[in-house]
Amino acid sequence: MNALVEAVLAQRGRLVGEGFDHSGQQTLRSVLARAACLGDRLAGAPYPHVGLLLENTPEYLWWLEAAVLAGATVVGVNPTRRGPDLLRDLTHTDCALLVTETRLLPLVADLGLAVPVLVVDGPGYAETLAPYADAAPPSRLPAPETRLLLTFTSGSTGAPKAVVCSQRRIARAGDKLRAQYGLSPDDTGYACMPLFHGNALMGLWAPLLLAGGTIALRRRFSATRFLDDVRDFGASYFTYVGRAVSYVLATEPRPDDAENPLRLGFGTEAGAVDAARFAERFGCRLVEGYGSSEGGCNLRQDPAAPPGAVGREGSGPDDDLAVVDPETGAECPRSRFDAAGRLANGEEAIGELVNRTARAGFEGYWRNEEAGAARLRDGWYWTGDLFHRDAEGWFRFAGRSADWLRVDSENLAVADIENILARWERAAAVAVYAVPDPVAGDQVMAALQLRPGADGDVAASFARFLARQPDLGTKMPPRFVRLVARMPVTGTHKTAKTGLRADRWDAVGGDTVLWRPYERGAAGELSYRVLTAEDREKLGALFAEHGRSALIVRNQVPRS
């Protein structure tokens, strides 16, 4: 039985959004027409792959569900990609057809694509679909193992990898969330995250489709429209990624914010502080999940989890999760905390999260066997993410594998520092990352987006805040702080740290950089001041003195 095919054919829910309200039957007619069109257009292609370069509109879901029925594979194209990178995404995934819209057509107009392009709001589109207006379901419906998606990883370095997702995997992920959160035909899921990303498809589209609920679309995420949309559409459930929650919290509070139909938000990387603020302001619980695009390791969410924990067992019945030393494969000692809540043995307790069940849910990367082999080593699935696990079995996220900092020979986890800095009432968004130390190892650097009206002596206020944090270890305070007008994010609203790392403490745009010179204030508090051009010259000389100038050669990496 193919649960996804059955749900598409049933079409029990509505599709609503900015200026449209489609019944299930209207959607089914649109899906059947496009499925028949795909059957003809992709019949002679080496691979039945269709690229969707669309914002969150009904057309996206109609073509996606058409692919479900036609046995085709959708490539979710990221509209923040440009030029050669975008061309590489389309050619690497063997797209035989591209579906886009007029506003995004310029992104591919000069790429020299050798595949046909359908423009959903362009001339001739209605005529293209007209012959399929009364199409019936395909005579042969696809099996559950049919490849449905090639979804790109959201890594910030190197070319993104295309993760293979079958219809079975999407259906299983959706059904788990449907059951876990009690989603029903009475629920409306608000899809404000981009549909080209797995979060929106596996976390919202699939569970609401299987539940027979309504799906509400926002073309592009808008923090200022969030609450109005929730009320207008009667949304009870939504998904989020990265900084989206921070942006909503940064909007002007209203006395009636809690008067809304929301009961649950599901996503990643909101952080414990923002989750608490969101629940207090909007009366809606946020459930933090952990899972990779690859599907090899997902932690089951548990309402009983202590602050900062994301679960203590995998979401699959046969999962065997562990935190291990990536060099030896030995399981790390359980984490311990001191009286102030500080991780007391991070050096030995933090390691890489693995699933010791062979393959788990990972179905591979498209045309990248080497990367797939790196994920599956010694019969285990390696996430590439840092965790530690306490004596009670709770897993706590400690950062990506690139988020280690080594300060004065001590290993630190970025996530721990970010969680502390997020408590600062003036901060709307926080990012922490490593920059080189002039002598050895790293220094901690933070980018802060301040809330509106957060003026005054920011440096002194930040230093006072740090001094009040009982769990801030002595190596954790940032050496450098970049004040940004808006936190740079990827197309999936995760913080884009690559450009920030490349900027280091350089003067960029209108940003102000504060720094903590190598001395403390007279009162024993940390002391910050503006980093000047003279300071930058002295830092450069210090790197040269220790033969480390190559580490601060300017890399031309744009912020996203």
Side-chain angles (χ1 to χ4, degrees):
M1 180 180 70
N2 190 334
L4 213 55
V5 167
E6 290 186 356
V8 169
L9 290 175
Q11 289 296 340
R12 293 181 293 152
R14 291 162 45 235
L15 181 60
V16 301
E18 303 164 79
F20 59 86
D21 185 342
H22 302 295
S23 69
Q25 284 305 303
Q26 289 172 322
T27 287
L28 181 58
R29 286 195 296 272
S30 298
V31 169
L32 290 174
R34 286 156 181 78
C37 180
L38 284 178
D40 285 349
R41 290 290 183 117
L42 302 178
Y47 301 99
H49 294 183
V50 53
L52 298 187
L53 180 57
L54 298 165
E55 291 181 339
N56 285 14
T57 63
E59 288 284 0
Y60 200 113
L61 292 187
W62 290 340
W63 282 101
L64 171 65
E65 294 180 10
V68 171
L69 299 183
T73 301
V74 163
V75 177
V77 185
N78 185 341
T80 68
R81 302 273 283 174
R82 295 291 186 272
D85 290 339
L86 180 55
L87 179 61
R88 181 263 175 198
D89 291 351
L90 294 167
T91 55
H92 172 71
T93 51
D94 297 293
C95 287
L97 174 68
L98 178 66
V99 180
T100 188
E101 54 188 303
T102 300
R103 66 193 299 166
L104 298 177
L105 187 59
L107 298 181
V108 296
D110 299 322
L111 296 184
L113 283 178
V115 299
V117 178
L118 285 180
V119 183
V120 299
D121 54 351
Y125 182 66
E127 289 76 12
T128 297
L129 292 179
Y132 310 106
D134 299 314
S139 56
R140 291 187 60 186
L141 293 169
E145 63 269 18
T146 304
R147 186 173 59 250
L148 174 60
L149 293 177
L150 293 180
T151 180
F152 289 104
T153 58
S154 56
S156 57
T157 58
K161 298 177 286 292
V163 180
V164 175
C165 300
S166 67
Q167 294 202 24
R168 176 186 287 116
R169 181 188 162 194
I170 302 300
R172 285 179 174 174
D175 199 49
K176 284 179 184 177
L177 290 179
R178 177 203 61 77
Q180 186 167 356
Y181 299 132
L183 298 173
S184 74
D186 295 329
D187 282 299
T188 293
Y190 177 46
C192 53
M193 294 291 99
L195 290 170
F196 66 80
H197 191 262
N199 165 274
L201 296 184
M202 297 185 209
L204 192 138
W205 167 70
L208 265 298
L209 176 71
L210 293 167
T214 295
I215 295 175
L217 297 179
R218 156 64 55 180
R219 175 179 276 275
R220 285 180 292 181
F221 172 72
S222 169
T224 58
R225 283 291 312 172
F226 177 85
L227 188 57
D228 291 335
D229 281 352
V230 163
R231 288 169 171 162
D232 290 347
F233 303 140
S236 54
Y237 174 80
F238 77 104
T239 58
Y240 60 88
V241 176
R243 296 296 172 191
V245 169
S246 295
Y247 294 147
V248 173
L249 289 171
T251 60
E252 190 68 27
R254 310 178 195 173
D256 61 348
D257 278 343
E259 297 174 14
N260 66 74
L262 282 177
R263 65 179 178 87
L264 184 68
F266 170 69
T268 60
E269 300 182 10
V273 173
D274 276 356
R277 290 172 176 167
F278 194 92
E280 181 180 3
R281 178 171 166 184
F282 297 105
C284 172
R285 180 169 65 100
L286 298 187
V287 178
E288 283 282 297
Y290 169 79
S292 61
S293 302
E294 290 84 350
C297 184
N298 295 277
L299 280 162
R300 180 180 287 115
Q301 298 76 46
D302 189 332
V310 292
R312 58 179 166 187
E313 57 184 0
S315 60
D318 301 318
D319 285 347
D320 179 15
L321 307 187
V323 176
V324 304
D325 183 324
E327 298 296 327
T328 67
E331 191 162 354
C332 295
R334 297 298 176 99
S335 50
R336 294 180 284 101
F337 302 88
D338 64 18
R342 289 186 292 256
L343 180 62
N345 63 333
E347 185 79 21
E348 62 176 6
I350 294 175
E352 186 170 346
L353 182 66
V354 300
N355 193 340
R356 295 181 291 203
T357 299
R359 291 200 69 84
F362 181 47
E363 297 178 322
Y365 296 116
W366 183 254
R367 294 193 181 281
N368 198 335
E369 293 183 5
E370 182 179 354
R375 286 288 184 196
L376 297 170
R377 306 193 309 273
D378 304 319
W380 294 356
Y381 177 83
W382 297 74
T383 66
D385 290 335
L386 304 176
F387 274 78
H388 54 90
R389 191 181 194 184
D390 68 19
E392 302 299 322
W394 294 104
F395 289 95
R396 288 173 168 82
F397 181 66
R400 306 300 176 188
S401 56
D403 283 347
W404 276 110
L405 297 99
R406 190 161 180 83
V407 180
D408 295 341
S409 299
E410 181 177 335
N411 285 339
L412 303 174
V414 160
D416 291 344
I417 306 173
E418 287 182 336
N419 287 338
I420 293 171
L421 300 191
R423 300 171 191 160
W424 192 33
E425 62 277 3
R426 292 190 173 197
V430 175
V432 172
Y433 45 96
V435 293
D437 181 86
V439 179
D442 305 316
Q443 286 291 337
V444 180
M445 185 161 186
L448 300 177
Q449 177 186 328
L450 301 181
R451 296 183 183 280
D455 49 12
D457 191 343
V458 173
S461 175
F462 182 62
R464 288 193 297 270
F465 159 77
L466 293 179
R468 296 193 303 268
Q469 307 313 303
D471 52 347
L472 185 75
T474 58
K475 310 297 184 185
M476 289 181 170
R479 178 70 62 186
F480 302 94
V481 178
R482 180 177 293 279
L483 304 178
V484 299
R486 187 172 180 82
M487 192 68 69
V489 294
T490 66
T492 55
H493 299 278
K494 295 184 177 181
T495 304
K497 293 184 180 179
T498 301
L500 291 170
R501 290 189 187 100
D503 291 343
R504 293 183 307 276
W505 47 82
D506 294 346
V508 177
D511 294 352
T512 297
V513 176
L514 308 176
W515 81 308
R516 177 168 55 88
Y518 293 88
E519 72 270 354
R520 283 179 173 260
E525 294 184 350
L526 297 168
S527 178
Y528 288 87
R529 63 175 174 80
V530 173
L531 184 74
T532 65
E534 182 181 358
D535 292 330
R536 292 186 177 92
E537 289 182 10
K538 289 180 178 179
L539 278 169
L542 195 57
F543 274 87
E545 178 183 341
H546 293 276
R548 288 166 64 86
S549 294
L551 297 177
I552 57 171
V553 173
R554 174 69 181 172
N555 296 314
Q556 298 302 316
V557 181
R559 296 188 194 174
S560 297

